[in-house]
Amino acid sequence: MKELTPLDRIEVPRPRPDAAYAARLPGHDASFRGLKRLLGAADASKAGDRLAGLAAPDDAAREAARGLLGELTLEHLHDHPLTDERGEVDAVMRVNYDIDRDAFARIASLRLGELKDHLLRAPGPEVARLGRALTGVMAAALAKLCDVHELVYLAGKISRPTRARTVLGAPGTLASRLQPNHPTDDLRGITLLIYWGLSLGAGDALLGVNPAAGTVETTAAILRHLDRIRRATGVPTQICCLSHLKVQLAALDQGAPVEILFQSLAGTEACFSEFDITVDLIDEGYRRMAARGPLAGEAEQFMYFETGQGSELTYGKHNGIDMATTEALCYGLARRWDPFMLNNVTGFIGPETHLDDREMILANLQDHFMGKLLGVPMGMAPCYTLHAHVTPEGQQMATQLLTAAGANYYMDVCLNTDRMLAYFDTSGHDVQTLREIHGRAPGGEFLAWALARGILARAGERAGEGERVGDGERAGESERHGEGKAGAITRGPRFGDVRQFCPDAAELAELLAATPAAHGFATAGPRPANAVSRRSRLDEAVARGALASELREDELTCVAAFRVITTTAASKGEHLGSADAGARLSAESAARLAPEDAQVQIVVSDGLSAEAVHHNVPDLLPVLLDGLGARGVTVGQPLLARYGRVKLAEAVAERLGARLVVLLLGERPGSGELASRSLSAYLAYRLIPGADQEAAAAFSGNPAIGFEYTVVSNIHAGGLLAAEAGGVLVEKVLQVLARRAAGNRLEALLAGGAT
């Protein structure tokens, strides 16, 4: 177990007034007030930084900023910590200063450009050692001076292996985090996706599920199910359920096998509050896992973090710091707990942070380099949502570059489609393709297991020729086990053969029926067969088309007598490209709304899919209204808003004085016709000053907390049916009002039976 340095013992220089940085350009001067402005201007232009006013206005100004940055010494960067909105050093920045002081003393006088040159010349161990002497700000500044070749070359020098039950990130390996998410947490669908991934040689990093329902009960059930599958298949890996850290610890207390503890991170303490997390809470989780986790005494590392450029900007909590720098601060924070793995999901948010392929690819390369340099075991998930101008081809380009740079692992999201989170990521097919192109193998323990089962093979060896593969054809010559360099890892005769884990045809049919977007097991080499790929790409194209849909207000008047309100997003383009335009009421609508007596206010908004509203609200809303009315809950006249975001619920609650706002919001389209119509319900509970707010502040560690959220997601014909969702929401509303809590605090009260 690593010794955690108390925060008050980490030395951080006293904040100084912003320095002025100036450079002469042909015809005019370029000047930047403060290190934040200089860092933002030095980075490649990205949508989020443009939105925040931090990007350089043109290429000349950008190069001027890079030139100035390259002349700054590491000591200068050290002595000018970036501060929060109050001008103070927050907890995230403070943890970043927990560095190797002896190593830093030897390089403090180097200019940043000199450090870059030194690292390019230095052997890998020297690069890794000096990374421990850097803060996140220094790593981000260095990344802004590097071109693509340098980002790949420098990261490729660094090895960051870790060990839980198995080893991750050893040289020459490429692992996979198998992610069998399901829109309703159906254990049958989760089972099939695990079997499918294992048959493709995926899952050596982790079997990890993002639950649709983040309750203690669901988390414990998923963990126990994953543990049963792990034991039954004998696969050497570890398991995780990616609920909130507080929920996982509650499940651990109930005896659930929480082998790897997960939490999303942020690069500012202000954004941490949005995640209901603190450094002290993660410290507590780390110590409890070291003492009582299922792998205590066996695993050298057992923490798992997820990050990605842009979350701080999306929440409006970036403290005036650019996206790459806040992301680097996440890595400087993560190394405090010596994680087993870290997954970068830059591209997950959408066009408000990364508009297109170029921005996504470059940001991923920066993140991978910064994380490895700072000492974090980096897994990469170059991903995209359908409302961004990012393509499958751009994602594949990113994975090729990142594999060359030495990424530890990728995701296995079956056929690239996350069925619960409605985004697109790498697949098990992609991981095996990259292994064969770049000469990589799974981790040693997993490799031995996969070779023994005939899932993988060594080139030049034939094992079990004639056994059946996933599409029912014979292996033999179709798999060509002898191709490639002798001894290289390729596919075995049972690659893609799901039936090896589920030989019962009737049971397999049941698992298939419970799994959305399962278009066939057939493979061609390490890739999905063409017919499978064409079906998957068609689904994606259909879903992308749903983004163009608009609310048809006249149709919705037949459902309820809506009051129509507007946000400050005047168009779909402004809505998609802005982090907060859809979260604010227009001046006209704000003036029309006044306090009312209703306990609950319902708001319907298109969000990212108007079709989600039209296909679900007609069946959901009457059930919700009737159910609340029958139970004596007072409800205001429903509101209808075009181009809304989640935080619109807070603006409405404050104007109307409602205790609880139920926002029915169209989510980003997932793959296929049904998933493109996915609706979510966000229950925003307004905390009135007094006992409730004080209890929420104590629970969250955020003294200024004003709202708590409970979410019911994946409401559509292929997930939680709309009429059923209406009944679920009635019960959730009653729980929130009765317990005077929502989100993680509500789940803790329900799990503990407290009132």
Side-chain angles (χ1 to χ4, degrees):
M1 174 179 169
K2 180 182 177 182
E3 187 68 29
L4 302 178
T5 307
L7 293 185
D8 60 3
R9 288 177 52 190
I10 300 174
E11 297 180 10
V12 183
R14 185 183 300 275
R16 302 184 182 190
D18 285 341
Y21 306 95
R24 181 169 295 279
L25 297 174
H28 67 94
D29 292 338
S31 61
F32 310 93
R33 171 60 64 177
L35 195 53
K36 292 179 184 178
R37 289 286 177 180
L38 182 63
L39 287 164
D43 204 356
S45 182
K46 302 169 194 165
D49 293 333
R50 293 192 295 272
L51 187 65
L54 294 169
D58 52 45
D59 289 341
R62 183 173 303 108
E63 286 306 322
R66 288 170 174 170
L68 290 167
L69 203 55
E71 290 300 310
L72 296 181
T73 65
L74 293 173
E75 185 173 29
H76 180 91
L77 295 172
H78 176 277
D79 291 346
H80 290 78
L82 306 185
T83 58
D84 61 18
E85 298 296 336
R86 299 170 297 176
E88 300 175 357
V89 173
D90 71 8
V92 174
M93 186 65 64
R94 181 170 296 278
V95 171
N96 267 261
Y97 276 80
D98 192 9
I99 59 178
D100 183 334
R101 291 286 169 179
D102 291 336
F104 178 74
R106 291 193 289 272
I107 60 174
S109 62
L110 287 180
R111 293 181 175 88
L112 192 65
E114 293 173 333
L115 175 65
K116 174 188 162 184
D117 291 344
H118 175 71
L119 295 179
L120 287 166
R121 298 184 186 108
E126 168 75 355
V127 177
R129 184 180 65 83
L130 291 181
R132 298 286 189 180
L134 303 180
T135 67
V137 173
M138 298 171 194
L142 188 62
K144 297 168 196 290
L145 301 186
C146 293
D147 61 25
V148 168
H149 286 310
E150 290 159 350
L151 292 171
V152 172
Y153 177 71
L154 284 169
K157 291 186 176 191
I158 306 169
S159 177
R160 300 290 191 193
T162 54
R163 173 182 284 280
R165 175 177 286 113
T166 61
V167 174
L168 177 63
T173 64
L174 179 62
S176 164
R177 201 218 100 180
L178 207 165
Q179 180 168 291
N181 293 348
H182 192 281
T184 61
D185 295 326
D186 190 319
L187 296 181
R188 296 170 301 172
I190 290 172
T191 299
L192 179 69
L193 294 173
I194 293 175
Y195 288 167
W196 199 345
L198 292 178
S199 76
L200 297 172
D204 48 330
L206 187 81
L207 307 181
V209 175
N210 300 77
T215 64
V216 176
E217 179 183 15
T218 298
T219 298
I222 288 174
L223 284 168
R224 292 188 175 102
H225 187 66
L226 295 179
D227 188 55
R228 284 193 293 270
I229 291 176
R230 182 187 66 78
R231 293 175 185 276
T233 60
V235 57
T237 188
Q238 32 280 316
I239 63 171
C240 179
C241 185
L242 284 72
S243 302
H244 192 277
L245 184 143
K246 291 179 180 178
V247 173
Q248 294 170 83
L249 291 178
L252 179 66
D253 289 341
Q254 294 182 3
V258 183
E259 293 185 347
I260 302 294
L261 186 64
F262 166 82
Q263 182 55 48
S264 293
L265 296 183
T268 68
E269 189 175 4
C271 195
F272 252 42
S273 66
E274 296 290 341
F275 296 174
D276 187 20
I277 209 79
T278 64
V279 172
D280 287 341
L281 179 61
I282 303 178
D283 282 353
E284 177 189 348
Y286 177 80
R287 293 186 178 107
R288 287 172 65 179
M289 286 292 291
R292 299 195 290 110
L295 299 182
E298 176 182 357
E300 296 175 15
Q301 290 90 13
F302 42 79
M303 302 293 284
Y304 170 21
F305 299 120
E306 203 156 81
T307 70
Q309 285 191 27
S311 62
E312 299 85 4
L313 176 123
T314 299
Y315 283 109
K317 305 288 187 181
H318 58 91
N319 293 341
I321 306 172
D322 67 274
M323 294 192 300
T325 304
T326 52
E327 180 68 6
L329 290 170
C330 290
Y331 306 142
L333 175 68
R335 67 185 174 187
R336 174 177 177 83
W337 300 287
D338 189 23
F340 172 64
M341 55 196 294
L342 185 142
N343 191 44
N344 173 278
V345 292
T346 290
F348 181 83
I349 296 174
E352 70 210 48
T353 61
H354 298 86
L355 181 63
D356 55 24
D357 285 331
R358 176 186 171 278
E359 294 184 14
M360 180 275 292
I361 293 170
L362 186 56
N364 271 268
L365 291 172
Q366 288 179 331
D367 294 350
H368 179 253
F369 162 68
M370 295 186 300
K372 287 187 77 174
L373 180 65
L374 289 169
V376 179
M378 293 296 291
M380 299 303 297
C383 53
Y384 62 97
T385 60
L386 296 183
H387 60 305
H389 302 298
V390 179
T391 65
E393 291 75 22
Q395 181 197 54
Q396 290 177 358
M397 293 174 195
T399 60
Q400 292 288 349
L401 288 166
L402 289 163
T403 305
N408 278 9
Y409 69 92
Y410 294 110
M411 308 298 285
D412 170 25
V413 176
C414 184
L415 297 179
N416 304 103
T417 301
D418 191 290
R419 291 147 181 80
M420 193 278 286
L421 291 173
Y423 81 112
F424 296 82
D425 210 324
T426 54
S427 69
H429 295 93
D430 293 337
V431 175
Q432 183 57 27
T433 302
L434 292 164
R435 285 171 179 161
E436 296 190 31
I437 291 173
H438 293 270
R440 305 293 172 81
E445 303 96 333
F446 186 95
L447 176 59
W449 174 84
L451 289 171
R453 295 195 72 106
I455 294 170
L456 299 178
R458 295 190 185 277
E461 298 177 2
R462 290 181 180 269
E465 183 174 349
E467 294 193 42
R468 303 190 66 84
V469 292
D471 57 0
E473 297 178 356
R474 292 193 173 272
E477 292 303 311
S478 68
E479 290 297 342
R480 299 288 301 276
H481 302 310
E483 63 189 15
K485 185 177 180 180
I489 300 303
T490 183
R491 285 143 283 115
R494 307 203 75 173
F495 180 82
D497 180 8
V498 177
R499 295 174 182 86
Q500 64 184 292
F501 301 111
C502 187
D504 186 286
E507 181 185 355
L508 182 59
E510 181 183 357
L511 300 184
L512 267 168
T515 309
H519 300 316
F521 304 133
T523 60
R527 306 299 299 156
N530 184 64
V532 177
S533 292
R534 297 281 64 79
R535 178 68 186 277
S536 298
R537 291 295 182 91
L538 177 60
D539 274 0
E540 183 175 333
V542 168
R544 200 181 286 269
L547 288 162
S549 63
E550 296 279 2
L551 277 180
R552 301 182 292 278
E553 295 177 8
D554 56 334
E555 294 181 18
L556 293 170
T557 58
C558 300
V559 180
F562 285 104
R563 293 179 283 179
V564 177
I565 58 175
T566 56
T567 70
T568 58
S571 67
K572 183 177 287 287
E574 184 178 346
H575 171 53
L576 295 179
S578 170
D580 60 355
R584 300 194 304 266
L585 287 165
S586 67
E588 183 273 334
S589 291
R592 282 195 291 114
L593 297 181
E596 300 175 352
D597 294 331
Q599 296 169 281
V600 175
Q601 179 61 55
I602 297 171
V603 182
V604 175
S605 182
D606 51 359
L608 296 176
S609 174
E611 290 306 310
V613 171
H614 288 289
H615 281 85
N616 294 288
V617 168
D619 291 331
L620 187 157
L621 188 56
V623 175
L624 177 58
L625 290 172
D626 290 348
L628 294 178
R631 289 162 175 79
V633 177
T634 57
V635 183
Q637 182 182 355
L639 300 172
L640 180 66
R642 192 184 300 272
Y643 309 142
R645 290 201 177 228
V646 173
K647 293 289 187 176
L648 180 62
E650 297 184 12
V652 168
E654 288 166 351
R655 296 299 299 177
L656 294 180
R659 290 305 306 271
L660 178 65
V661 169
V662 179
L663 174 61
L664 303 175
L665 187 71
E667 292 289 14
R668 58 191 183 194
S671 184
E673 185 177 19
L674 297 180
S676 70
R677 302 168 178 172
S678 181
L679 191 80
S680 284
Y682 293 86
L683 281 64
Y685 181 64
R686 184 169 64 93
L687 295 162
I688 295 174
D692 290 350
Q693 197 280 333
E694 291 169 3
F699 183 85
S700 67
N702 175 16
I705 188 170
F707 284 85
E708 294 176 315
Y709 280 87
T710 287
V711 183
V712 177
S713 63
N714 288 281
I715 302 169
H716 58 84
L720 179 61
L721 298 178
E724 183 181 348
V728 170
L729 289 174
V730 170
E731 295 307 314
K732 278 294 179 188
V733 168
L734 294 175
Q735 288 175 349
V736 170
L737 295 178
R739 305 282 180 154
R740 301 194 301 276
N744 289 325
R745 189 163 66 94
L746 173 64
E747 295 306 320
L749 291 171
L750 293 173
T755 57

